[in-house]
């Protein structure tokens, strides 16, 4: 993600700034005539990976977000563990016990101390990520326990305020003080809670622990997961993302790969294997990361959603120090180990560990980014050398991997860049300037591929707080994306960012979508629909269009695939516009339109702006279509 200290915008020395037209220059409501040349041989080939997604752990996008595990602070990870999300149930004391770690990685557990003469069931609750969503679903539940106990353990899902008990499930547990044992069960909730204000409870017979204590650790609760994967993604959230049709996923950051200091960087081998072996870390966004969503989970996510992985590797830069030169060598070796873990045969040193962790075949990996935003936080002077050191190592073993340089700032990158290296540009802009960058790639060198690894319309430079996508901003994004499509021979991949947030933990917004523990809280931003409309109507070639007017306030791009011609339109202005498009050899199709008043948007659980789809027929089957574009409207015409 962008720098933590400034929400600044960078376009890079490669980019020629040319201003587009802004609404002030529009001249009322004359008709715009467009004629599309439908011969695919006349246009540029369009990148199949043009629209993708970027993920990093922030805004509780992973823990408490798309990763399905619902209990918070379950491994007491991070450098300053406390009782966040826990509360005692009954007459007991609870504390974080570092003396009874569950494993080498999970180095504390919850101690529940039971005073003498307690009777009845007592224990503790975990209140999840601002609540636990309770739906009519099958839950997988596990915990580790140590201490003498032979009897019934009751797990429950309960309304925190209402006291409503949705599920009570009993299991027999034989626990010993000699070691932690893992207990696993599954239970059904047969009804849904009305809100997210719920908790998970673990209770035991207080009389059996009278005057003593039990330790419980690494509690895990999963609702149904996407494609049924163990330690997987939340099914509802993943399907919502899938519906926006991303073709690649940039992982695992963003700032979050870098670390606030070198030891706090994202360490790939701490994110693999059983979760009980994952120590977690202090993330860059000021909360502990469990790393339960780890390297293999990212790769399963890509495979299950048919996305190309774009993996960033740690390149020596953290927010609290930089290693370079000979000191970087061990970290270069670590990158090569990571790549062998992903790509090596299952009889190689690291490939065999991957196989042991559940993936025999190598993962497909064709894109590797060296670091993140190395023009920031002191990275610039050493990046040319660090990049080259890592590039040479990777290219020597994996010459077919596409390498990405993490900034376009010329004096921060090697000159010349090795051929084929892609440049990653990141920028966030308010609506008018974003439209002003409509044609920024028109004069870009054609032999230098670009990934826009993070971008979006952000109507503020303030760092924190909640902001929402709104119709004008999303229209500006559509204009900008029309610019991407027109230059898709250079612009190979783009990712709106950030991807998602848990609404209870907003740090940086807007995001493409969000949700909370409440039912039906999944909320698409207006930007989500723009991504969906563009990604769902991607051509294989861009088509030439003749027009009676220049771009602004109406912008357009046409493309085609084997069957369908697409015409994308955006009206970045406060007046209605009429577009008449001639698309020879077509008769009819669909018109999808996103529009609304200039500042309208979708807020959590309050979805007002959605695209409308209608059938459209050309006048007398002539291939002439009249499209009435409302102010700030974005339309996609798909005709055959
Ligand atoms: C676009 O304009 C050019 C130049 O006037 C002309 O040769 C071409 O046939 C036109 N194409 C369409 C589709 O109208
Ligand atoms: C959810 O509800 C349906 C009836 O609406 C029921 O058939 C199904 O078994 C329930 N699922 C669970 C996991 O309880
Ligand atoms: C636990 O309780 C069960 C049932 O009362 C008994 O069969 C078993 O031997 C007990 N186990 C231990 C270790 O005491
Ligand atoms: C939970 O519900 C599923 C169907 O949704 C059913 O197959 C399973 O047997 C149920 N489990 C229990 C413990 O009732
Ligand atoms: C991961 O590798 C680092 C060395 O880079 C090592 O210190 C650490 O113990 C490893 N983690 C695990 C869980 O094996
Ligand atoms: C998967 O994605 C690739 C590239 O985006 C595409 O060519 C292919 O058709 C997709 N496969 C499926 C099954 O959707
Ligand atoms: C791994 O297996 C392949 C073929 O099965 C073999 O050629 C290769 O020598 C083996 N590598 C190692 C390190 O054992
Ligand atoms: C990468 O490796 C291949 C194969 O060894 C080589 O042909 C190519 O020149 C290398 N690329 C660069 C830019 O050095
Ligand atoms: C062409 O694009 C349309 C969407 O406009 C899509 O429904 C169709 O599946 C695509 N056809 C092919 C062959 O990809
Ligand atoms: C724009 O068109 C809508 C109907 O599509 C109409 O309600 C509105 O009054 C028009 N606005 C202007 C400024 O003409
Ligand atoms: C966008 O930013 C401008 C300038 O700060 C402000 O006037 C406007 O209210 C903002 N709009 C929204 C929807 O946030
Ligand atoms: C369709 O549009 C073309 C180009 O503007 C025009 O020449 C033709 O007369 C139109 N046909 C109909 C039926 O409107």
């Amino acid at each position: 993600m962008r720098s933590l200290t400034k929400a600044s915008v960078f376009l890079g020395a490669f980019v020629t700034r040319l201003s587009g037209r802004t609404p002030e220059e529009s001249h009322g409501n004359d008709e715009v005539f467009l004629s599309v040349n439908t011969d695919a041989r006349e246009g540029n080939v369009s990148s199949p990976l043009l629209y993708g997604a970027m993920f990093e752990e922030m805004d509780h996008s992973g823990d408490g977000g798309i990763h399905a595990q619902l209990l918070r602070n379950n491994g007491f990870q991070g450098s300053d563990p406390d009782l966040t999300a826990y509360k005692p149930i009954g007459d007991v004391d609870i504390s974080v016990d570092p003396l009874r770690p569950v494993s080498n990685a999970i180095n504390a557990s919850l101690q529940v101390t039971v005073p003498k003469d307690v009777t009845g069931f007592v224990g503790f609750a975990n209140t999840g990520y601002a609540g636990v969503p309770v739906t009519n679903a099958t839950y997988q539940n596990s915990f580790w326990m140590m201490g003498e106990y032979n009897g019934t353990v009751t797990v429950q899902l309960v309304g925190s305020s209402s006291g409503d008990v949705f599920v009570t499930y009993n299991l027999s547990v034989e626990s010993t003080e000699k070691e932690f044992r893992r207990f696993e069960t599954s239970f059904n909730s047969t009804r849904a809670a009305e809100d997210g204000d719920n908790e998970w409870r673990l209770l035991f017979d207080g009389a059996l622990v009278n005057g003593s204590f039990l330790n419980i650790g690494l509690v895990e609760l999963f609702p149904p997961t996407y494609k049924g994967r163990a330690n997987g993604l939340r099914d509802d959230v993943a399907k919502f993302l899938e519906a926006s049709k991303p073709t690649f996923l940039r992982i695992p950051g963003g700032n979050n790969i870098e670390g606030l200091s070198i030891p706090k960087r994202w360490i790939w081998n701490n994110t693999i294997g059983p979760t009980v072996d994952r120590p977690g870390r202090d993330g860059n966004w000021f909360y502990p990361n469990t790393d339960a969503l780890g390297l293999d989970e990212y790769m399963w996510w890509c495979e299950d959603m048919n996305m190309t992985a774009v993996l960033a590797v740690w390149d020596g830069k953290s927010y609290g120090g930089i290693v370079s030169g000979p000191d970087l060598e061990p970290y270069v070796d670590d990158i090569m180990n990571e790549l062998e873990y992903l790509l090596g045969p299952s009889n190689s040193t690291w490939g065999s560990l991957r196989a042991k962790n559940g993936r025999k075949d190598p993962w497909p990996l064709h894109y590797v980014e060296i670091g993140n935003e190395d023009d920031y936080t002191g990275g610039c002077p050493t990046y040319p050398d660090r990049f080259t050191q890592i590039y040479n190592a990777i290219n020597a073993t994996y010459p077919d991997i596409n390498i990405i340089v993490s900034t376009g700032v010329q004096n921060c990158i090697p000159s010349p860049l090795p051929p084929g290296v892609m440049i990653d540009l990141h920028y966030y802009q308010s609506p008018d300037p974003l439209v002003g960058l409509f044609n920024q790639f028109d004069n870009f060198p054609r032999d230098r591929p670009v990934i826009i690894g993070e971008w979006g319309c952000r109507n503020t430079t303030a760092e924190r707080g909640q902001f929402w996508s709104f119709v004008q901003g999303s229209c500006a994004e559509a204009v900008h994306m029309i610019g991407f499509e027109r230059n898709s021979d250079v612009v190979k991949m783009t990712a709106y960012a950030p991807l998602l947030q848990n609404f209870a933990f907003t740090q940086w917004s807007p995001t493409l979508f969000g949700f909370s523990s409440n039912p039906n809280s999944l909320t698409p931003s207006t930007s989500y629909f723009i991504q969906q409309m563009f990604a769902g109507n991607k051509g294989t070639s861009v088509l030439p269009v003749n027009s009676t007017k220049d771009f602004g306030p109406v912008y357009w791009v046409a493309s085609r695939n084997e069957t369908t011609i697409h015409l994308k339109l955006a009206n970045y202005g406060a007046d209605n516009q009429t577009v008449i498009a001639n698309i020879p050899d077509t008769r009819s199709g669909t018109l999808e339109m996103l529009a609304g008043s200039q500042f309208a948007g979708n807020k959590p659980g309050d979805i007002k702006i959605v695209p409308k789809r209608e059938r459209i027929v050309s006048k007398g089957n002539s291939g002439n279509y009249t499209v009435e574009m409302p102010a700030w409207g974005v339309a996609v015409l798909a005709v055959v």
Side-chain angles (χ1 to χ4, degrees):
M1 207 43 57
R2 66 260 92 222
S3 153
L4 293 175
T5 49
K6 59 179 166 170
S8 107
V9 162
F10 167 69
L11 281 172
F14 282 92
V15 177
T16 310
R17 284 165 196 261
L18 295 172
S19 66
R21 286 167 186 235
T22 53
E24 292 73 41
E25 294 167 76
S26 81
H27 302 292
N29 188 6
D30 305 326
E31 291 163 337
V32 182
F33 290 90
L34 303 178
S35 53
V36 177
N37 180 340
T38 57
D39 185 348
R41 289 166 303 186
E42 299 292 326
N44 283 331
V45 169
S46 188
S47 167
L49 299 177
L50 189 54
Y51 300 119
M54 184 270 170
F55 177 85
E56 80 174 287
E57 179 69 65
M58 65 184 299
D59 292 318
H60 277 287
S61 56
D63 291 334
I66 197 168
H67 186 253
Q69 203 288 110
L70 297 172
L71 304 179
R72 188 180 179 196
N73 194 20
N74 66 342
F76 300 104
Q77 284 140 316
S79 55
D80 192 16
D82 60 16
L83 284 171
T84 295
Y86 290 94
K87 61 186 195 190
I89 303 291
D91 183 15
V92 296
D93 289 317
I94 59 171
S95 58
V96 181
D97 185 356
L99 300 176
R100 290 172 185 78
V102 179
S103 65
N104 286 337
I106 303 297
N107 53 26
S109 60
L110 185 77
Q111 186 168 89
V112 185
T113 305
V114 182
K116 277 203 160 50
D117 303 325
V118 164
T119 56
F121 272 67
V122 294
F124 67 95
N126 185 296
T127 54
Y129 292 92
V132 174
V134 176
T135 58
N136 163 6
T138 302
Y139 288 81
Q140 304 295 328
N141 198 182
S142 64
F143 55 89
W144 294 69
M145 193 159 159
M146 183 162 91
E148 289 303 326
Y149 188 79
N150 186 7
T152 298
V153 163
T154 299
V155 289
Q156 295 183 315
L157 292 175
V158 180
S160 296
S161 307
S162 66
D164 215 351
V165 179
F166 298 101
V167 184
T168 291
Y169 191 82
N170 293 334
L171 62 156
S172 298
V173 163
E174 278 184 39
S175 166
T176 143
E177 66 184 3
K178 294 191 197 79
E179 62 183 5
F180 270 100
R181 285 187 185 160
R182 184 169 186 270
F183 300 94
E184 186 175 15
T185 188
S186 106
F187 55 78
N188 290 340
S189 172
T190 50
R191 65 196 175 104
E194 275 169 24
D195 59 34
D197 182 24
N198 312 301
E199 61 196 40
W200 172 84
R201 292 183 179 174
L202 186 151
L203 307 172
F204 52 82
D205 186 349
L208 297 181
V209 192
N210 193 358
S212 182
F213 56 82
L214 293 176
N215 281 66
I216 290 110
L218 198 64
V219 295
E220 293 183 307
L221 178 69
F222 287 90
T225 59
Y226 180 61
K227 310 262 179 184
R229 294 263 172 241
N231 190 36
L233 307 178
R234 260 179 71 168
D235 194 47
D236 53 349
V237 177
K239 283 179 173 154
F240 200 83
L241 170 63
E242 188 173 39
S244 74
K245 303 185 190 290
T247 55
F248 71 87
L249 186 67
R250 178 170 167 251
I251 40 175
N255 291 153
N256 201 40
I257 192 176
E258 296 183 43
L260 292 174
S261 63
I262 292 167
K264 292 182 177 180
R265 71 193 184 282
W266 186 84
I267 299 175
W268 72 272
N269 62 314
N270 283 352
T271 76
I272 57 175
T275 50
V276 74
D277 296 329
R278 303 186 194 184
R281 57 183 272 260
D282 292 317
N284 270 58
W285 292 92
F286 313 112
Y287 60 85
N289 293 182
T290 68
D291 287 333
L293 179 55
L295 185 57
D296 282 306
E297 287 75 22
Y298 287 132
M299 300 309 286
W300 286 115
W301 178 0
C302 289
E303 186 161 283
D304 287 344
M305 235 176 250
N306 190 30
M307 297 185 294
T308 297
V310 177
L311 178 73
V313 294
W314 193 77
D315 71 348
K317 184 182 81 142
S318 78
Y319 274 69
I322 289 173
V323 277
S324 61
D327 293 345
L328 188 62
E329 272 314 309
Y331 299 96
V332 178
D333 294 344
D334 195 45
I335 290 170
M336 297 315 290
N337 293 342
E338 180 179 4
L339 294 180
E340 185 178 285
Y341 180 83
L342 293 166
L343 296 167
S346 60
N347 61 357
S348 62
T349 307
W350 291 98
S352 66
L353 184 56
R354 180 196 66 236
K356 184 168 155 245
N357 289 338
R359 173 71 185 203
K360 186 168 181 298
D361 292 337
W363 290 109
L365 178 68
H366 305 292
Y367 293 85
V368 169
E369 178 155 8
I370 298 180
N372 174 65
E373 295 179 356
D374 278 272
D375 50 321
Y376 280 134
T377 52
C380 186
T382 51
Y383 188 57
D385 286 345
R386 287 184 290 117
F387 176 88
T388 303
Q389 215 170 329
I390 296 167
Y391 176 91
N392 288 343
I394 295 176
N395 190 58
T397 309
Y398 306 103
D400 295 333
I401 287 184
N402 296 292
I403 304 288
I404 301 169
V405 66
S406 75
T407 167
V409 176
Q410 204 110 60
N411 65 323
C412 304
I413 63 182
S415 179
L417 268 183
V421 168
M422 295 179 79
I423 299 179
D424 185 2
L425 302 175
H426 298 178
Y427 49 93
Y428 297 89
Q429 287 279 15
S430 52
D432 283 359
L434 191 60
V435 169
L437 295 170
F438 165 69
N439 50 8
Q440 66 174 331
F441 294 107
D442 290 0
N443 299 307
F444 201 87
R446 294 345 257 184
D447 60 351
R448 185 54 69 187
V450 167
I451 170 173
I452 318 283
E454 297 179 18
W455 80 283
C457 182
R458 194 162 193 267
N459 198 40
T460 176
T461 52
E463 280 201 27
R464 298 286 141 75
Q466 216 151 24
F467 312 100
W468 306 105
S469 295
F470 57 104
V471 167
Q472 180 195 356
S474 298
C475 180
E477 286 162 6
V479 171
H480 199 72
M481 289 162 77
I482 286 172
F484 290 160
E485 290 205 11
R486 285 164 43 77
N487 289 282
S488 181
D489 57 325
V490 167
V491 182
K492 302 292 188 190
M493 305 163 114
T494 69
Y496 179 98
L499 185 59
L500 75 157
Q501 65 181 299
N502 183 318
F503 289 129
F505 300 94
T506 301
Q507 295 179 300
W508 184 285
S509 66
T511 53
L512 200 61
F513 67 101
F515 56 92
S516 68
S517 298
N518 290 326
N520 303 317
S521 58
L522 267 164
T523 304
S525 66
T526 47
S527 302
Y528 173 95
F529 291 122
I530 299 294
Q531 292 295 319
Q532 189 180 51
M533 287 163 68
F534 275 55
N537 293 283
K538 205 156 33 69
T540 46
S541 333
V542 176
L543 301 173
V545 178
N546 288 357
S547 65
T548 53
K549 287 195 177 172
D550 205 349
F551 290 122
V554 177
Y555 295 80
W556 58 84
V557 67
S559 65
R560 74 167 302 149
N561 64 16
E562 281 169 30
T563 55
T564 309
I565 315 263
H566 314 106
L567 179 64
K568 300 188 175 89
L569 299 166
N571 177 15
Y572 189 74
D575 298 319
N576 293 340
Q577 301 287 340
T578 301
V579 175
I580 298 173
N582 175 250
I583 308 177
D585 308 322
T586 68
R587 290 163 169 253
S588 62
T590 56
L591 176 67
E592 199 172 2
M593 178 83 72
L594 188 79
S597 65
Q598 185 173 4
F599 298 122
N602 297 330
K603 306 223 163 121
D606 178 17
I607 303 164
K608 289 204 167 68
I609 310 289
V610 297
K612 292 193 173 66
R613 276 172 82 95
E614 60 183 51
R615 187 165 163 73
I616 189 167
V617 177
S618 66
K619 195 174 160 193
N621 287 331
S622 61
N624 291 358
Y625 302 86
T626 302
V627 183
E628 298 295 351
M629 293 294 295
W632 316 110
V634 176
V636 178
L637 192 63
V639 292
V640 292

